[in-house]
Amino acid sequence: MQGIELSRGFYTDIVRPWLSKIAPELRYSAALIGYGSELIGFDDDVSKDHNWGPRVHIFLGRDDFGKYARRLVDDFSKVAPATYLGEPIGWRSRPHPPANGVETVGALEHGLEFHTLEARLEDHFAVRSVENLSALQWMGFAEQKLLAFTSGAVFHDDDSRLSQARDRLGYFPDDVWLYKIACQWRRIAEEQAFVGRAGQVGDDLGSRIIAARLVRDVMRMGFLLERRYAPYSKWLGSGFARLPVAEPLSRHLKRALLSSEWTDREDALASAYLELAHRQNTIGIASFEPIVGPYHDRPFTTINADDAVEAARSAIADAWIKQLPIVGSLDQISDLTPLLEDAKLSQRMMNQLRS
């Protein structure tokens, strides 16, 4: 059994009946969101060595949190079973410890936590509301964290606030999305000719490294064009394989990675860029006429990525976003995990870049 269904059963069989008995008047939401491979269905036996098992997050209003949360965590410790469906309910504490804060509380003895929605949003995104988010705030949200918040499952939702927050964060606003597409094409534009140039001077290892970087950029563009959040690197390939665009792209990307000749490598990548362009034109946003050919006067096969950048930038309606330098949102600028996972640091960095 995968973790999300284990936790759903834990809520249905254990937590919900207990809450109905001990606090029948309580209005709450119950979910499993925030972190864990099980949220996106990629957990397996290896996943069980940390932060895996029966887990349920209960979301309360701020007044009810103060009245109930810490008492209920303590009370559940006294009555919770040691195991559920053969899995221990005690905390596997690497790297996430039990919740403990002003509006968040859990215990080592079990996987039941209580939060306010505001506290979870603040910890996860450095905001306490998802109403009226600015474009800059959106650009400071790591896709892997957006995916973790909007994936998983909601088991119960009395006032729908949690579901509404997840819906509002379901995907980027159109102009932020177009900006990210423009910036992703810019990443491709910057390095696509280097696969051939490095190969031409006999640097096969350098050519392979650049090709691999471009494969990753193509994959992340695939997520953008399918309007799906990309997971972090461990699950990037697994998530990519689920995208509709993966089928036409994968054979080109595999050829680019496996080829022993730089000329074949860059041809494979150019074919992948062309697939991206066709997909972009098919969905009817930022259309441009793709042209594959030599890189100016040099004999390296590339696509007219600058035209793709301009097409996406021109489609942006918001004047402030449109005038931004084409450098990217948070996870287009850096893939450093401590930065992507620290929401306050993420927002501070984006504010510095735009100031």
Side-chain angles (χ1 to χ4, degrees), residues 228-334:
R228 310 273 183 88
Y229 292 133
Y232 69 115
S233 59
K234 178 169 65 173
W235 301 122
L236 185 68
S238 299
F240 177 77
R242 294 178 173 179
L243 300 178
V245 76
E247 184 176 356
L249 280 173
S250 291
R251 66 180 184 274
H252 303 307
L253 301 183
K254 290 176 182 177
R255 183 161 64 97
L257 291 173
L258 296 174
S259 177
S260 60
E261 299 293 333
W262 67 262
T263 51
D264 192 42
R265 231 171 270 146
E266 66 172 11
D267 283 345
L269 284 166
S271 296
Y273 309 148
L274 196 57
E275 291 285 358
L276 291 176
H278 290 328
R279 178 60 180 153
Q280 184 166 315
N281 289 341
T282 297
I283 62 179
I285 57 99
S287 297
F288 71 104
E289 182 64 35
I291 301 170
V292 169
Y295 184 70
H296 302 293
D297 293 330
R298 295 188 173 189
F300 310 127
T301 305
T302 58
I303 196 169
N304 54 328
D306 289 339
D307 292 339
V309 172
E310 182 56 28
R313 191 200 67 81
S314 297
I316 296 170
D318 185 285
W320 184 83
I321 299 176
K322 199 168 194 170
Q323 58 81 38
L324 290 174
I326 305 297
V327 294
S329 63
L330 177 72
D331 40 18
Q332 291 175 303
I333 294 170
S334 175

Side-chain angles (χ1 to χ4, degrees), residues 36-284:
S37 300
E38 67 264 47
L39 301 187
I40 48 178
F42 293 142
D43 55 313
D44 57 19
D45 285 343
V46 175
S47 306
K48 295 181 180 182
D49 66 354
H50 72 287
N51 298 127
W52 190 96
R55 299 192 290 129
V56 176
H57 302 155
I58 301 294
F59 293 87
L60 302 176
R62 296 178 68 186
D63 290 344
D64 280 344
F65 183 91
K67 183 178 178 181
Y68 290 97
R70 296 185 186 279
R71 173 174 65 84
L72 290 176
V73 165
D74 291 340
D75 287 350
F76 193 66
S77 296
K78 300 171 186 175
V79 301
T83 63
Y84 175 71
L85 297 183
E87 294 292 342
I89 69 167
W91 205 262
R92 297 164 169 94
S93 61
R94 182 180 65 86
H96 296 278
N100 183 25
V102 175
E103 295 177 10
T104 179
V105 61
L108 284 169
E109 294 81 14
H110 56 75
L112 180 61
E113 296 184 359
F114 288 81
H115 306 261
T116 66
L117 178 58
E118 291 79 8
R120 175 53 68 90
L121 289 170
E122 184 171 25
D123 177 69
H124 207 70
F125 296 116
V127 301
R128 286 185 68 85
S129 170
V130 295
E131 302 287 344
N132 303 312
L133 293 171
S134 70
L136 189 58
Q137 286 173 313
W138 273 105
M139 291 177 195
F141 297 155
E143 289 196 34
Q144 64 193 48
K145 298 201 77 175
L146 287 162
L147 180 62
F149 189 84
T150 57
S151 298
V154 174
F155 309 135
H156 179 81
D157 199 7
D158 273 327
D159 60 10
S160 299
R161 291 181 65 229
L162 177 60
S163 295
Q164 289 168 7
R166 281 160 51 92
D167 287 345
R168 289 193 178 97
L169 293 171
Y171 202 67
F172 298 108
D174 284 351
D175 282 343
V176 174
W177 176 50
L178 288 165
Y179 175 74
K180 286 175 68 77
I181 289 172
C183 294
Q184 198 65 20
W185 276 117
R186 172 52 58 201
R187 288 180 61 90
I188 291 169
E190 292 299 322
E191 292 199 323
Q192 61 173 339
F194 298 166
V195 174
R197 184 62 176 132
Q200 186 187 52
V201 298
D203 180 10
D204 186 63
L205 177 60
S207 176
R208 288 174 184 269
I209 290 170
I210 297 165
R213 285 169 55 87
L214 286 162
V215 165
R216 184 174 183 271
D217 282 336
V218 168
M219 292 169 68
R220 291 191 68 95
M221 179 68 90
F223 280 96
L224 283 171
L225 294 179
E226 298 293 351
R227 296 180 72 96
R228 310 273 183 88
Y229 292 133
Y232 69 115
S233 59
K234 178 169 65 173
W235 301 122
L236 185 68
S238 299
F240 177 77
R242 294 178 173 179
L243 300 178
V245 76
E247 184 176 356
L249 280 173
S250 291
R251 66 180 184 274
H252 303 307
L253 301 183
K254 290 176 182 177
R255 183 161 64 97
L257 291 173
L258 296 174
S259 177
S260 60
E261 299 293 333
W262 67 262
T263 51
D264 192 42
R265 231 171 270 146
E266 66 172 11
D267 283 345
L269 284 166
S271 296
Y273 309 148
L274 196 57
E275 291 285 358
L276 291 176
H278 290 328
R279 178 60 180 153
Q280 184 166 315
N281 289 341
T282 297
I283 62 179

